[in-house]
Amino acid sequence: QMIDAGLPITRGLSIMERQAPEGSAFRTVLKGLGDSLAKGNTFSDSMKSYPDVFSTLFFSMFKSGEESGNLSTALRNVGLQMEKSYQLSKKIRGALMYPAVIFSLMLVIGVLMMVYMVPTLTATFVGLGIKLPLSTRMIIAVSNFLKNYFVFVGFGTILLVGFFAYWFRTARGQRVLDFVAIRLPIIGPIVKEINAARTARTLSSLLSSGVDIVVAIGVTREVIQNSYYKEVLNEIEKTIQKGDQISAIFLSHEKLYPLFVGEMVAVGEETGKIGDMLLGVATFYEEEVDQQTKDMSSVIEPVLMIIIGAAVGFFAISMLAPTYSLADAL
């Protein structure tokens, strides 16, 4: 907005620097950018000094904006790209947060009951000398194991979580995680639409800013997280370099990209408006993800209630059954 109003970029950075909190890392970055511009460097070249702050997507769009003289347009595209990406991630986190919290609470409460409550009831049953049902014996066995080996179970759990956290950061672990993500019954379709929306939005933003399509594909490949989608984009980059159409690649990977993506790209190639077609695809799948996350939240809540009810019912019946057996014996 400041550039559209006619302010020099150095003054715009100075205003933003004064607005940033004192001593913050972002304020230091803004000051560094201003100093670099004052030395005669371009804005895109100045950004290279801060790779942890500005991604390749930023650099490519800003560089294209400088070369075409449409820096304000590039800035708007970057802002819109960041906003849409943030909203997409926020919706997914919001949809998964509720079941994660409920499951964690169920696990903690279940362990506490097994360690503190069940042993008391077990002592009562032993004193009565009655025959216990199978479900009751199972709960008592789990309770005894947790009580006797609580330290080892806790330590083992921490080690197991740490191992998987480390393993999923490796190339092979990430590959397995990517495969599972796109194959899960409920999550899989949403993951595919998220990647379709992110691919289309990023490509559209880059192409609208005047970035060369080969560079745009390479930048989009870095933005996408899933390795399977990276491979498709790598194949598309090679196809472009050969002079072939990219829609055929999208269409040949229907298990990753929905058919709609390939068809819209084909229309864009025919009309010379790939950027506009991709923008339409991005908007469509962003709305689809929004609706599906809402639907998923609506479905997860009753499913969780059923699971909680079943667990509580099983525990209650297992603990009450010996009492009824005693009453029958009397």
Side-chain angles (χ1 to χ4, degrees):
Q1 292 179 348
M2 287 186 284
I3 292 178
D4 286 337
L7 287 177
I9 191 169
T10 51
R11 186 176 177 185
L13 287 172
S14 177
I15 293 173
M16 292 176 63
E17 180 187 346
R18 290 197 298 271
Q19 291 178 341
E22 186 71 31
S24 65
F26 187 58
R27 184 166 187 167
T28 304
V29 172
L30 292 172
K31 185 178 185 307
L33 289 174
D35 293 341
S36 180
L37 289 172
K39 295 177 182 178
N41 296 322
T42 64
F43 194 43
S44 57
D45 288 337
S46 302
M47 293 168 62
K48 287 183 178 180
S49 302
Y50 305 97
D52 295 335
V53 179
F54 301 106
S55 64
T56 308
L57 174 66
F58 272 73
F59 173 76
S60 299
M61 295 182 72
F62 274 85
K63 184 174 180 62
S64 177
E66 289 173 339
E67 292 174 352
S68 62
N70 294 320
L71 185 57
S72 60
T73 302
L75 286 168
R76 280 195 297 269
N77 289 336
V78 168
L80 182 61
Q81 172 73 18
M82 290 182 61
E83 180 183 0
K84 292 296 183 181
S85 180
Y86 172 75
Q87 289 177 352
L88 205 58
S89 301
K90 184 179 179 180
K91 289 170 186 175
I92 300 303
R93 286 196 302 268
L96 297 178
M97 184 64 68
Y98 176 74
V101 171
I102 296 298
F103 180 79
S104 299
L105 288 175
M106 285 178 57
L107 187 62
V108 171
I109 293 172
V111 170
L112 291 176
M113 290 178 66
M114 289 292 181
V115 173
Y116 294 103
M117 180 179 175
V118 174
T120 303
L121 296 174
T122 302
T124 303
F125 296 152
V126 171
L128 294 174
I130 57 177
K131 184 179 179 180
L132 301 177
L134 176 62
S135 59
T136 306
R137 296 199 303 270
M138 291 171 57
I139 291 178
I140 291 175
V142 173
S143 174
N144 289 336
F145 179 80
L146 289 175
K147 184 179 179 181
N148 295 330
Y149 303 100
F150 184 77
V151 175
F152 296 101
V153 171
F155 187 67
T157 302
I158 294 173
L159 285 178
L160 192 63
V161 171
F163 169 76
F164 279 108
Y166 169 78
W167 188 64
F168 283 133
R169 291 180 181 178
T170 64
R172 187 172 182 179
Q174 186 63 50
R175 184 74 170 177
V176 172
L177 190 63
D178 292 341
F179 178 82
V180 172
I182 60 180
R183 291 296 191 276
L184 288 175
I186 299 176
I187 304 297
I190 298 178
V191 170
K192 292 176 183 179
E193 292 187 352
I194 289 172
N195 282 284
R198 189 161 291 167
T199 300
R201 173 69 64 180
T202 306
L203 273 176
S204 175
S205 299
L206 289 165
L207 295 175
S208 299
S209 300
V211 178
D212 181 75
I213 189 168
V214 176
V215 177
I217 293 294
V219 173
T220 304
R221 186 175 60 245
E222 295 185 16
V223 172
I224 298 298
Q225 301 293 325
N226 193 292
S227 60
Y228 287 90
Y229 288 86
K230 287 180 179 290
E231 290 176 357
V232 175
L233 292 169
N234 187 52
E235 188 177 345
I236 290 174
E237 185 177 11
K238 294 178 181 178
T239 300
I240 295 174
Q241 292 171 348
K242 294 178 183 178
D244 298 332
Q245 293 184 332
I246 65 175
S247 57
I249 306 300
F250 282 114
L251 291 171
S252 65
H253 292 280
E254 290 185 31
K255 292 183 178 180
L256 295 176
Y257 285 101
L259 183 64
F260 181 64
V261 177
E263 294 292 348
M264 291 295 286
V265 171
V267 173
E269 288 174 334
E270 294 172 4
T271 60
K273 297 181 179 180
I274 296 181
D276 294 338
M277 294 297 104
L278 287 170
L279 180 59
V281 170
T283 303
F284 173 77
Y285 282 114
E286 285 165 357
E287 292 175 355
E288 281 289 301
V289 170
D290 185 23
Q291 186 60 46
Q292 288 200 33
T293 50
K294 291 178 181 177
D295 294 342
M296 186 173 67
S297 299
S298 302
V299 171
I300 284 176
E301 186 170 346
V303 170
L304 283 175
M305 293 301 102
I306 293 173
I307 294 174
I308 293 172
V312 172
F314 177 78
F315 182 83
I317 292 173
S318 299
M319 293 295 102
L320 290 175
T323 305
Y324 289 118
S325 299
L326 178 63
D328 292 340
L330 296 175

